């Protein structure tokens, strides 16, 4: 939008400059044409007067030749009433000059030529000046001149180039000093609004600032701020509702589990009920974790992704035996993340690998990819198809063939939501065999950072 508005402003300015400069160039071209014509017409009139006074026009041949040598651009002839050349003797006007024959006829009829409208660089024909010889109604002949206008046309061309160059300089100055600031003032509310929309789409509280720009855009930004506040209030109410309901369910569920544990000591038949109760507890914990997605109570701190990955893999290693391998290409991997983000994500992925790829090898890797840390978890189980991989990460989504495997269908959904809250990315790729999960996390590579600073996800203000 900024470029389009700037292009429009430059185009309009160029049109205004062209409307101002074009008449000046045209006036200069007209002035050159009139000046040259008047000068040559005065000379032709003088020769016509001499021809009338001397009686023998052929005697003026040397004068006409000397005049041509002085001007270096003019050729002059004196023609009789029948159109024959009287002087200079033996010289005839070129027959291929457009309009020359008509100008001679008009002059012999008593009408001198008039000045052309303008001299332009693309007009290569010579200027024709013709005036009658005689007095009153008696016409004795005519004086005809052909003027080479190349010098005048070059002068007009230089004027056009200078005008174009000056207009370009003025256009650049206007664009730089007026157009760019003006377009920036108009577009700034749109840029600010775009930033706040992106923040809202990521589940963050849009930052508020002083609205500048046209009144219509300021009102739009203010309306968006009101809408964002209402949306956040609604989302907060939803999270609080889930938290309250979960809390109310957690207490009786805990009490029920304790009683079932006591009963299971004497009655083994209670153990399946106890297992379902524990499954309900895990599902409730997962629902609470899902409800926190996009919330602003999360706090980031500087963590070492490499250290956390090594520690978590070491914790899971006894369950995999020799089937779990880890490759870390860096000594440290600093990033601004939630302290429990990497452990939580690895727990979900390794737990899935343990359930769905039992007895198969699992590879975990950490590497740097530009300004991000890339964590890859790949198992060698039965895997999924491309269509099935596209559905992974949906809440409560489970494959039909895994219906008998313990789980809630929320693990990968938690991974996706937590990583997106951290401004990262998750990709599920079918491997042959197995499933490859690639996670990208914003890295803190030096004194700067591509990730949000600590507490950046908290409420603004």
């Amino acid at each position: 939008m900024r470029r389009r508005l700037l292009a429009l402003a430059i185009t309009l300015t160029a049109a205004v400059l062209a409307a101002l400069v074009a008449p000046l160039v045209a006036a200069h071209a007209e002035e050159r044409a009139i000046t040259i014509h008047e000068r040559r017409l005065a000379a032709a009139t003088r020769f016509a007067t001499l021809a009338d006074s001397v009686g023998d026009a052929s005697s003026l041949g040397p004068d006409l030749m000397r005049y041509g040598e002085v001007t270096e651009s003019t050729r002059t002839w004196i023609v009789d009433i029948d159109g024959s050349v009287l002087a200079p003797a033996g010289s005839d006007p070129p027959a291929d000059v457009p309009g020359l024959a008509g100008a001679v006829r008009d002059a012999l009829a008593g009408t001198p030529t008039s000045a052309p409208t303008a001299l332009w660089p693309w007009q290569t024909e010579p200027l024709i000046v013709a005036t009658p010889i005689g007095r009153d109604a008696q016409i004795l002949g005519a004086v005809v001149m052909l003027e080479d206008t190349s010098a005048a046309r070059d002068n007009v061309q230089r004027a056009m180039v200078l005008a174009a160059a000056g207009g370009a300089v003025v256009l650049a100055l206007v664009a730089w000093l007026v157009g760019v600031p003006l377009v920036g003032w108009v577009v700034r509310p749109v840029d600010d609004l775009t930033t706040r929309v992106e923040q809202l789409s990521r589940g963050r509280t849009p930052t508020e600032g002083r609205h500048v720009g046209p009144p219509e855009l300021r009102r739009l930004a203010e309306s968006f701020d009101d809408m964002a506040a209402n949306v956040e209030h609604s989302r907060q109410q939803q999270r609080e509702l889930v938290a309250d309901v979960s809390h109310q369910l957690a207490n009786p569920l805990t009490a029920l589990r304790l009683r079932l544990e006591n009963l299971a000591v004497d009655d083994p038949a209670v153990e399946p009920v106890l297992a379902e109760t524990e499954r309900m507890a895990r599902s409730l914990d997962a629902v609470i974790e899902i409800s926190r997605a996009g919330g602003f109570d999360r706090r980031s701190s500087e963590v070492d992704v490499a250290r956390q990955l090594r520690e978590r893999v070491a914790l899971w290693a006894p369950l995999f035996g020799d089937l779990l391998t880890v490759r870390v290409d860096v000594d440290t991997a600093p990033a601004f993340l939630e302290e429990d983000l990497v452990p939580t994500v690895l727990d979900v992925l390794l737990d899935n690998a343990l359930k769905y790829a039992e007895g198969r090898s699992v590879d975990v890797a950490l590497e740097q990819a530009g300004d991000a840390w890339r964590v890859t978890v790949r198992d060698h189980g039965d895997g999924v198809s491309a269509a099935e991989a596209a559905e992974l990460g949906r809440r409560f989504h489970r494959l039909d063939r895994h219906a008998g495997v313990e789980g809630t269908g929320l693990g990968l959904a938690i991974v996706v939501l937590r990583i997106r809250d951290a401004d990262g990315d998750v990709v599920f790729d079918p491997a042959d065999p197995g499933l490859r999960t690639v996670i990208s996390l914003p890295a803190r590579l030096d004194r700067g950072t591509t990730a949000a600073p600590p507490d950046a996800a908290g409420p603004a203000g």
Side-chain angles (χ1 to χ4, degrees):
M1 180 178 180
R2 184 186 301 272
R3 289 193 296 270
R4 289 192 293 270
L5 287 178
L6 186 58
L8 177 61
I10 292 175
T11 301
L12 293 177
T13 305
V16 172
L17 287 175
L20 295 175
V21 172
L24 296 178
V25 175
H28 179 70
E30 293 173 1
E31 185 272 335
R32 294 298 300 165
I34 293 173
T35 300
I36 294 176
H37 184 269
E38 288 178 350
R39 289 177 180 175
R40 298 300 175 256
L41 183 61
T45 302
R46 183 175 65 84
F47 283 124
T49 302
L50 288 175
D52 183 40
S53 62
V54 298
D56 185 8
S58 61
S59 63
L60 296 178
D63 293 332
L64 299 180
M65 298 296 291
R66 283 194 298 272
Y67 183 76
E69 293 173 356
V70 171
T71 60
E72 298 182 351
S73 61
T74 308
R75 292 177 293 172
T76 308
W77 297 269
I78 295 178
V79 298
D80 199 358
I81 189 65
D82 59 359
S84 61
V85 176
L86 299 176
S91 174
D92 293 329
D96 57 348
V97 177
L100 177 60
V104 172
R105 286 194 302 270
D106 291 342
L108 294 176
T111 303
T113 56
S114 57
T117 56
L119 284 180
W120 298 110
W122 51 85
Q123 295 174 339
T124 59
E125 299 82 6
L127 176 65
I128 302 173
V129 178
T131 187
I133 300 174
R135 63 175 66 92
D136 300 331
Q138 186 179 7
I139 304 299
L140 303 177
V143 177
V144 180
M145 288 185 175
L146 292 180
E147 175 71 16
D148 182 8
T149 59
S150 58
R153 287 185 281 107
D154 290 343
N155 179 271
V156 174
Q157 185 175 12
R158 286 193 297 271
M160 294 175 65
V161 171
L162 290 176
V169 172
V170 172
L171 182 63
L173 290 176
V174 170
W176 180 40
L177 299 177
V178 179
V180 172
L182 179 61
V183 171
W185 177 76
V186 172
V187 174
R188 183 177 174 183
V190 179
D191 292 339
D192 294 342
L193 186 60
T194 300
T195 301
R196 293 199 291 274
V197 169
E198 291 174 350
Q199 292 172 339
L200 184 64
S201 65
R202 296 193 191 104
R204 302 186 183 279
T205 298
T207 57
E208 295 185 7
R210 184 172 59 90
H211 300 305
V212 298
E216 296 81 2
L217 294 180
R218 289 203 303 268
R219 288 196 295 271
L220 176 62
E222 292 168 357
S223 299
F224 174 81
D225 288 343
D226 295 338
M227 181 201 70
N230 293 333
V231 169
E232 174 52 27
H233 179 68
S234 176
R235 293 171 57 180
Q236 184 63 30
Q237 286 182 323
Q238 292 178 0
R239 287 192 292 269
E240 291 175 355
L241 175 63
V242 173
D244 292 341
V245 171
S246 301
H247 178 73
Q248 294 298 324
L249 291 175
N251 290 335
L253 186 60
T254 301
L256 177 61
R257 186 171 56 183
L258 292 175
R259 294 179 181 178
L260 290 174
E261 289 176 352
N262 292 332
L263 293 175
V265 175
D266 299 325
D267 187 359
V270 180
E271 291 183 358
V273 181
L274 179 60
E276 286 299 316
T277 305
E278 293 176 350
R279 181 172 176 273
M280 290 176 59
R282 289 194 298 271
S283 298
L284 184 60
D285 292 338
V287 169
I288 295 174
E289 184 66 28
I290 288 287
S291 70
R292 294 183 61 208
F296 306 115
D297 56 343
R298 300 185 182 276
R299 294 294 182 267
S300 299
S301 61
E302 187 170 356
V303 300
D304 183 357
V305 177
R307 178 184 60 81
Q308 290 186 330
L309 186 142
R310 292 190 186 98
E311 292 176 353
R312 215 63 190 174
V313 170
L315 184 64
W316 281 85
L319 299 177
F320 287 89
D322 297 333
L323 299 177
L324 181 60
T325 62
V326 60
R327 178 176 58 85
V328 180
D329 292 342
V330 293
D331 295 330
T332 60
F336 275 122
L337 304 170
E338 294 177 81
E339 184 69 30
D340 68 334
L341 176 61
V342 174
T344 300
V345 169
L346 286 175
D347 285 348
V348 172
L349 297 179
L350 293 177
D351 180 64
N352 281 355
L354 190 64
K355 291 188 296 186
Y356 302 120
E358 184 178 2
R360 316 284 181 86
S361 61
V362 178
D363 304 321
V364 180
L366 171 66
E367 58 186 344
Q368 182 179 336
D371 56 357
W373 300 120
R374 180 184 296 160
V375 179
T376 304
V377 178
R378 187 263 173 94
D379 64 61
H380 292 74
D382 296 333
V384 295
S385 65
E388 291 172 336
E391 298 294 322
L392 296 180
R394 290 171 47 196
R395 298 177 183 179
F396 301 105
H397 175 72
R398 302 192 70 191
L399 300 178
D400 293 338
R401 63 177 179 272
H402 296 156
V405 182
E406 181 181 0
T408 62
L410 292 174
L412 294 182
I414 292 173
V415 170
V416 171
L417 294 174
R418 291 291 302 273
I419 295 300
R420 288 180 180 173
D421 279 351
D423 290 331
D425 184 56
V426 182
V427 177
F428 301 106
D429 284 331
D432 188 17
L435 173 69
R436 179 186 296 106
T437 302
V438 181
I439 297 172
S440 297
L441 296 170
R444 183 178 185 272
L445 302 178
D446 47 32
R447 294 180 62 184
T449 178
T450 59
D455 302 339

